[in-house]
Amino acid sequence: MESYLFGSWVISKALALSYFIAFLSLSTQVLGLFGSRGILSIDHLLNLLDKELGLSRIRHFPSVFWLASGDFTLKAACLIGMLASTLALLGFSQSWMLLLCWLLYLSFCSCGQVFLSYQWDNLLLELGLIGLFFAPFAIEWIPFASYTIHPMIFALVWLLLFKLMFSSGLVKLNNKDPDWKNLSALRYHYWTQPLPTPLAWFADKLPLPLQKLSCALMFVIEIAVPFLIFIPGLASFSGALALILLQVLIILSGNFAFFNLITLGMCLSVIPDRFWSMTDTSWIIPVGVSTEIAVAVLVILLPGNLFWIFKTAFEKNQSLDFMLPWMRALYPFRITNPYGLFAVMTKTRPEIVLEGSNDGNTWLEYEFKHKPTKLSHRPTVIAPFQARLDWQMWFAALEGFNENLWLQNLVTRLLDECPEVQELFKHDPFEGKSPKFMRFVKYQYHFSNWEELKNTGNWWKRDHFSMYSPVFERDEEP
């Protein structure tokens, strides 16, 4: 029987590292996004939920922030998460530390609204729960405990990897987007994705036949290759290498936070110890759980995974709808989730530009740290960190202002000269002072071509599209 000691070590370390990066990234933005004067204050949200839901609020929004949700608490939660993930990474009380990370991150996701609703946030929590059973809390405290990593627990990790990859490929074919079906979607992807890297600018210039070949290869890796995960030996090894190749290519061309880091950890776990011939695994302690505990975890998680795989493959089939109450019960804990980015390829790049003015005639632009505003703004490499405001601005541009009323909160905070929100921007043209007027304007952006980059130094070009919001005016003090 194959041994996966090194794979178990990789999963636990990738999980701990992902937690550390997630909390570190969040700590630099948490007050601007969720503080008492943030764009979407967690304290304000919990006060509203308390009035609306009563005691059921804890079941629908599980969070330690029900105990306290002030600015100090939010910052402290990030710092504790960073400390706990560091200790888990170093191997100190690993399970307790990972459990603490999971509880803290779930607390943020439950209250983070649009800024903590991304697929990698769900993936971190879903793998985070499974990862607890790779190193039990205190082995003598757990009934039926043993010192072997149970195959059922490993199977849940591989099933999660299968669901992630298979669903990501299948949703593209199930939707009525002809550009995925004719393999031409990548001619849009590199410049329309939320935060492209500099290499994406060059990849966009590749000839269409090569882009179609790349798209076909992606479909093979996402839809066919995941089945190899469950075939021990050379098949699973080859499948893991193909999945790793896809993740590396995604990392080179786009900034998707810690999504790829978590996925790489799961991919490496598929490779048996015998393929790590140069790696000594004798120092890895095989700590795990017994069949009784493994079955209990399997009973909780397996139906949800199979539900989402089935719903992705047969989206109009309602034969599993009887499971919806069970799925709704699990939803608040984010432990079984659907996946599938870019189901419909965006074929334009609308961008919202925030402007301010003191006279209503001359308008100056606020510059974001990573999303394009200035045409000379070279695409940045920020992953595995995530600029959550920049990301959410990309989604907002695809919708109307009335669907994104949090933007009004953003303007309000800037008019109030809130330093925590001002820190989310790269450049404030008013140097921290509030302008009299503010507005959002929509532009259509596109990568520049070789000649334009050479002559002007601009990585982008844009056309004015429309006004996106009404003009906001600062209230004058009496």
Side-chain angles (χ1 to χ4, degrees):
M1 187 173 178
E2 295 281 12
S3 172
Y4 294 91
L5 284 178
F6 191 75
S8 68
W9 181 86
V10 167
I11 289 175
S12 62
K13 299 311 174 186
L15 186 58
L17 182 58
S18 297
Y19 272 130
F20 178 80
I21 292 170
F23 283 115
L24 176 61
S25 175
L26 192 57
S27 69
T28 63
Q29 311 167 65
V30 67
L31 295 186
L33 297 177
F34 307 121
S36 58
R37 298 183 65 197
I39 300 171
L40 291 175
S41 169
I42 285 180
D43 188 60
H44 178 66
L45 172 69
L46 295 183
N47 286 332
L48 292 177
L49 293 176
D50 187 24
K51 296 175 183 178
E52 293 290 330
L53 300 178
L55 289 177
S56 66
R57 67 189 188 278
I58 299 175
R59 177 169 58 87
H60 293 292
F61 298 89
S63 176
V64 299
F65 297 133
W66 287 113
L67 302 175
S69 55
D71 290 357
F72 176 80
T73 303
L74 299 180
K75 268 289 190 182
C78 292
L79 296 177
I80 293 171
M82 291 165 58
L83 177 61
S85 57
T86 300
L87 292 174
L89 190 63
L90 297 176
F92 293 98
S93 300
Q94 179 172 292
S95 294
W96 287 110
M97 295 301 102
L98 289 179
L99 176 61
L100 180 57
C101 289
W102 188 83
L103 290 172
L104 289 173
Y105 206 69
L106 175 63
S107 299
F108 275 114
C109 289
S110 295
C111 307
Q113 304 164 79
V114 295
F115 292 118
L116 272 162
S117 60
Y118 303 113
Q119 292 193 25
W120 38 90
D121 296 319
N122 291 340
L123 181 62
L124 182 55
L125 289 172
E126 188 166 354
L127 181 63
L129 181 68
I130 303 172
L132 296 177
F133 299 95
F134 279 86
F137 310 92
I139 204 74
E140 66 273 12
W141 295 358
I142 297 182
F144 313 111
S146 70
Y147 286 85
T148 57
I149 298 173
H150 201 283
M152 290 186 189
I153 301 297
F154 249 119
L156 284 173
V157 175
W158 297 342
L159 183 61
L160 174 57
L161 178 60
F162 177 88
K163 179 178 68 171
L164 173 65
M165 302 308 301
F166 185 71
S167 299
S168 297
L170 214 56
V171 294
K172 299 178 177 70
L173 294 180
N174 283 344
N175 280 279
K176 299 176 181 179
D177 188 338
D179 289 291
W180 279 122
K181 293 181 173 62
N182 63 27
L183 305 179
S184 62
L186 292 185
R187 62 178 174 164
Y188 303 104
H189 169 71
Y190 296 113
W191 60 276
T192 63
Q193 62 178 313
L195 295 179
T197 67
L199 281 178
W201 188 94
F202 295 96
D204 178 63
K205 308 301 183 287
L206 294 173
L208 183 58
L210 185 56
Q211 292 192 4
K212 286 191 172 185
L213 179 62
S214 301
C215 190
L217 179 62
M218 178 211 69
F219 275 124
V220 171
I221 294 176
E222 288 189 342
I223 296 177
V225 168
F227 288 95
L228 300 179
I229 294 172
F230 305 104
I231 305 175
L234 185 59
S236 61
F237 177 73
S238 302
L241 291 184
L243 295 172
I244 290 170
L245 172 63
L246 177 61
Q247 296 308 308
V248 171
L249 293 175
I250 294 173
I251 290 171
L252 292 175
S253 63
N255 290 285
F256 292 94
F258 42 85
F259 197 50
N260 307 109
L261 175 59
I262 303 173
T263 308
L264 283 172
M266 291 191 290
C267 293
L268 290 171
S269 75
V270 175
I271 303 176
D273 289 340
R274 64 187 175 94
F275 285 98
W276 302 98
S277 57
M278 301 299 292
T279 303
D280 178 17
T281 59
S282 61
W283 53 273
I284 302 175
I285 301 175
V287 182
V289 295
S290 68
T291 298
E292 289 82 357
I293 296 175
V295 168
V297 177
L298 200 69
V299 167
I300 295 173
L301 298 182
L302 181 61
N305 283 312
L306 295 179
F307 174 86
W308 287 121
I309 293 172
F310 183 86
K311 293 296 285 186
T312 302
F314 308 100
E315 56 181 7
K316 295 182 180 180
N317 192 304
Q318 299 179 344
S319 59
L320 290 185
D321 284 0
F322 70 93
M323 292 180 59
L324 288 176
W326 175 247
M327 303 307 297
R328 293 191 188 102
L330 293 181
Y331 172 76
F333 303 98
R334 315 290 179 92
I335 56 177
T336 175
N337 308 285
Y339 298 99
L341 291 170
F342 302 110
V344 177
M345 177 54 64
T346 51
K347 299 178 177 64
T348 60
R349 188 187 184 93
E351 285 285 359
I352 303 171
V353 175
L354 176 60
E355 299 178 338
S357 174
N358 282 319
D359 59 11
N361 295 314
T362 302
W363 294 88
L364 303 178
E365 297 179 351
Y366 285 77
E367 187 177 354
F368 290 81
K369 290 183 178 179
H370 303 284
K371 105 178 181 66
T373 304
K374 294 175 61 176
L375 301 183
S376 59
H377 176 91
R378 182 180 66 183
T380 58
V381 176
I382 184 177
F385 297 89
Q386 182 180 11
R388 293 185 179 270
L389 176 59
D390 298 51
W391 257 87
Q392 201 55 40
M393 291 293 291
W394 182 86
F395 284 104
L398 301 176
E399 301 173 325
F401 177 74
N402 290 333
E403 287 76 45
N404 294 276
L405 293 180
W406 62 269
L407 290 170
Q408 187 168 332
N409 294 351
L410 170 61
V411 170
T412 301
R413 298 311 183 195
L414 291 173
L415 292 177
D416 290 342
E417 300 180 2
C418 176
E420 293 86 359
V421 175
Q422 291 170 343
E423 289 175 2
L424 299 175
F425 292 85
K426 179 180 180 180
H427 174 66
D428 179 352
F430 300 94
E431 299 180 348
K433 300 298 181 181
S434 168
K436 186 175 182 180
F437 304 101
M438 297 190 75
R439 69 184 185 185
F440 291 101
V441 181
K442 182 183 284 190
Y443 289 85
Q444 289 290 349
Y445 276 67
H446 199 294
F447 275 155
S448 62
N449 57 38
W450 291 98
E451 196 67 25
E452 290 165 336
L453 178 62
K454 178 181 177 181
N455 294 334
T456 66
N458 290 340
W459 293 78
W460 300 93
K461 54 186 178 183
R462 73 182 186 184
D463 298 306
H464 182 271
F465 186 68
S466 65
M467 293 295 298
Y468 183 81
S469 74
V471 175
F472 302 92
E473 185 174 359
R474 181 186 64 210
D475 290 334
E476 298 295 340
E477 295 182 3

